[in-house]
Amino acid sequence: NAGVMQNPRHLVRRRGQEARLRCSPMKGHSHVYWYRQLPEEGLKFMVYLQKENIIDESGMPKERFSAEFPKEGPSILRIQQVVRGDSAAYFCASSPGLTSNQPQHFGDGTRLSIL
Amino acid sequence: AQTVTQSQPEMSVQEAETVTLSCTYDTSENNYYLFWYKQPPSRQMILVIRQEAYKQQNATENRFSVNFQKAAKSFSLKISDSQLGDTAMYFCAFMKHDINNDMRFGAGTRLTVKP
C-alpha cells in the first residue's frame, strides 16, 4: 500500500535554474496539497489541486511558482528562476476528496537546495 | 480564515517524565478536526493523534493524549513516559470539515527528550 510518493528526495539547483518537484498521491486519492517548510519554521500551505483543477492557490507566490495535477501522472510543483530563498523542504499531501473526513497523508518531502 | 498558534517554540523533558505541548486555534467553524503531527529529524510527517470537534471525549493513543477545550479553542498534547525517540518537531493542525479538507498548521514546537 504505497503512500504519497515524492521525488526527488533531494534536489540541488543553481540560481536561475528551474526546479520541478513531483508528487504521486496515494492510490485512490484525487486531491493534492503542496506545503513549504522553511528551515526551522512550520509548514505553510501553498496550493490545493484536484485532477486538472487548481482549487486554492492562495499560499503560492504569484511569480515563478506554478503547480499542476494532470489527468494522468503526478502533480508537479514548478519553480522557475530559483533564488536562494526558495531553499526549503516541500511536502506534498493527498486525500481521497469530497466525501472524506480523513487527514491528509504526507509524502517524505523534497529538500530543495539552491546554490 | 483559520489560524493555529503554538506558543512554545522549544521544550525539553527528562526521559520517562510527562510533557504538555500547547496549541490554540481560531475559527468560526463548528465542525472541524484537530491533529498533532510529529516530524523527527528524518523530516517525515507522522500523524500522532486526531480529534473530532464534535466529540467530547479526549483522544488517546498509547502514551499520547490530548486535552481538547472547544470553548477555549485549545488543543494540547500530553506525552507521558517520554522516550528519546519522541525528540522531534511537533505540529498542531486544524482541518475544516468541508470538501476541501484544507489543513492549517502551527509553527511547531521542538521537543527534546533528555536522557
Side-chain angles (χ1 to χ4, degrees):
Chain A
N1 184 21
V4 177
M5 303 299 293
Q6 287 188 250
N7 67 82
R9 290 294 304 275
H10 300 275
L11 181 61
V12 179
R13 285 287 179 266
R14 295 188 181 279
R15 282 179 293 174
Q17 291 184 322
E18 178 179 285
R20 283 186 169 221
L21 288 63
R22 294 175 181 76
C23 170
S24 296
M26 282 182 70
K27 187 177 181 180
H29 287 193
S30 58
H31 293 223
V32 165
Y33 311 78
W34 284 95
Y35 298 86
R36 176 165 63 177
Q37 184 181 31
L38 294 170
E40 309 307 322
E41 292 187 15
L43 291 171
K44 301 287 185 184
F45 168 79
M46 297 182 73
V47 61
Y48 161 47
L49 311 102
Q50 295 177 24
K51 286 280 187 182
E52 300 184 279
N53 281 307
I54 295 176
I55 306 303
D56 180 357
E57 56 182 348
S58 60
M60 199 156 67
K62 296 287 187 287
E63 314 227 331
R64 302 188 299 107
F65 285 73
S66 63
E68 62 177 10
F69 189 17
K71 187 176 180 181
E72 302 291 337
S75 176
I76 306 289
L77 178 67
R78 183 183 294 109
I79 311 172
Q80 297 177 300
Q81 298 175 321
V82 296
V83 300
R84 286 258 171 87
D86 297 332
S87 293
Y90 292 83
F91 285 89
C92 169
S94 72
S95 71
L98 292 178
T99 60
S100 170
N101 62 359
Q102 295 298 314
Q104 299 163 6
H105 295 262
F106 283 86
D108 289 343
T110 293
R111 281 84 184 161
L112 175 63
S113 298
I114 308 302
L115 301 179
Chain B
Q2 284 67 233
T3 58
V4 180
T5 303
Q6 292 178 250
S7 58
Q8 306 152 313
E10 295 188 16
M11 291 194 73
S12 62
V13 63
Q14 290 295 134
E15 194 176 6
E17 292 187 350
T18 295
V19 63
T20 299
L21 309 184
S22 301
C23 173
T24 59
Y25 56 95
D26 184 27
T27 184
S28 57
E29 302 290 328
N30 192 45
N31 292 326
Y32 51 87
Y33 301 87
L34 295 161
F35 309 89
W36 278 98
Y37 281 89
K38 170 184 176 181
Q39 188 185 48
S42 65
R43 303 301 288 262
Q44 293 173 303
M45 292 292 282
I46 303 166
L47 178 62
V48 174
I49 199 166
R50 61 175 281 172
Q51 173 82 42
E52 290 89 346
Y54 65 86
K55 288 188 176 178
Q56 299 277 6
Q57 187 172 6
N58 288 325
T60 62
E61 282 290 336
N62 301 315
R63 297 182 295 106
F64 298 88
S65 62
V66 298
N67 182 7
F68 174 47
Q69 302 288 329
K70 191 173 184 180
K73 296 180 183 175
S74 170
F75 183 61
S76 60
L77 174 70
K78 185 170 83 170
I79 306 174
S80 305
D81 186 26
S82 298
Q83 300 176 1
L84 296 179
D86 295 333
T87 293
M89 282 287 287
Y90 286 82
F91 292 98
C92 177
F94 170 99
M95 184 174 80
K96 273 198 306 183
H97 182 37
D98 67 6
I99 61 172
N100 287 337
N101 286 353
D102 182 22
M103 293 182 77
R104 304 289 167 170
F105 290 84
T109 296
R110 181 177 303 282
L111 175 67
T112 301
V113 180
K114 298 179 179 178

